Amino acid sequence: MDEAQKRQLAESVKRAQRDAKETVWRTYKHLMLLGKDNTWKTVDLGLVHSSAAASIVELVLNRLRGDGDIEDAVSPGFLDRNWPPAFKEWSTKSVRDAFFASPKFPRLLHSDSLKDTITKGVENGMLGYVGKKPDGTYSPFHWKSSLTAFDVELSGDMYIIQHETAEAYAEGKSVPKPEPPPPTKDPLPPKTPPIPPSAGVKRVNWHGDVPPQKWMNFYTKVLSKFAAQSGLKIGLNVEIAPEEGVSNQKVDEIKVALRELGLSDDVSLD
């Protein structure tokens, strides 16, 4: 090949590479995701080209941000508006999990951004950040105070509370309890109230299948009212069997996550 043919070949290769790249951008333009109504949502990106963004991933993220399907962070007001009615205290771990379980919540790109959300809510008084003692009191109790993201822990042992709960608790701590009156001489023994007959049953068992996207609602509506009491046992049987199979990397990630939760990483593999 002479020099002219070599130059022509190089230009043809570059042109073919450009055409292949643009073909990929024009072809992969549809997204499917779980919508806020718990049904499949299809997003058409339209006629796109490589100059629309630095990469296809960036293009997708920008579109999902614009539609409100993913967020870099949320405001304290969002948590207050979407507070589960069954919770007086909402564990920070459950708050984080809600963004990856409930279709009503946007997906967070970085779950640690919730720490900043909580600190802002504590500082402006919209939220309180507390720990719970066995007697029902809060320790620590942070409300309308300075708090850094490093002080916030996303775990099942720390909670956020709403403004009304924090305000009532703070007022209750500031008002001294009245001293009991002195006992009178020879007080009569108090009458023992009759013991009401027992009602209800000793045990409730349920077995069934819960769709993954409804697990948070199942916990909120069925289990949360018993979570603070003894006697609640949850047995879980998980089967992960996608058509394409599960990679060894995903299996290792599952084992690491189980160990981080203090659970056995002994999983059954087929």
Side-chain angles (χ1 to χ4, degrees), residues 177-183:
K177 295 182 180 180
E179 296 183 0

Side-chain angles (χ1 to χ4, degrees), residues 38 84 89 91 121 125 177 228 270:
N38 208 28
E89 299 95 2
S91 80
K177 295 182 180 180
D270 293 331

Side-chain angles (χ1 to χ4, degrees), residues 133-149:
K133 297 175 67 175
D135 60 1
T137 58
Y138 296 145
S139 179
F141 174 74
H142 299 281
W143 181 59
K144 287 186 177 181
S145 58
S146 178
L147 192 68
T148 69

Side-chain angles (χ1 to χ4, degrees), residues 21 82 89 101 137 199 236 265:
K21 180 178 180 180
N82 293 275
E89 299 95 2
T137 58
L236 190 61
D265 63 353

Side-chain angles (χ1 to χ4, degrees), residues 124-175:
N124 63 28
M126 183 172 291
L127 301 174
Y129 175 71
V130 303
K132 288 178 62 176
K133 297 175 67 175
D135 60 1
T137 58
Y138 296 145
S139 179
F141 174 74
H142 299 281
W143 181 59
K144 287 186 177 181
S145 58
S146 178
L147 192 68
T148 69
F150 295 103
D151 299 323
V152 176
E153 178 183 346
L154 301 181
S155 72
D157 299 323
M158 298 304 295
Y159 303 82
I160 58 173
I161 56 177
Q162 292 176 289
H163 168 85
E164 297 80 6
T165 303
E167 185 175 42
Y169 184 80
E171 290 179 354
K173 289 182 61 178
S174 62
V175 176

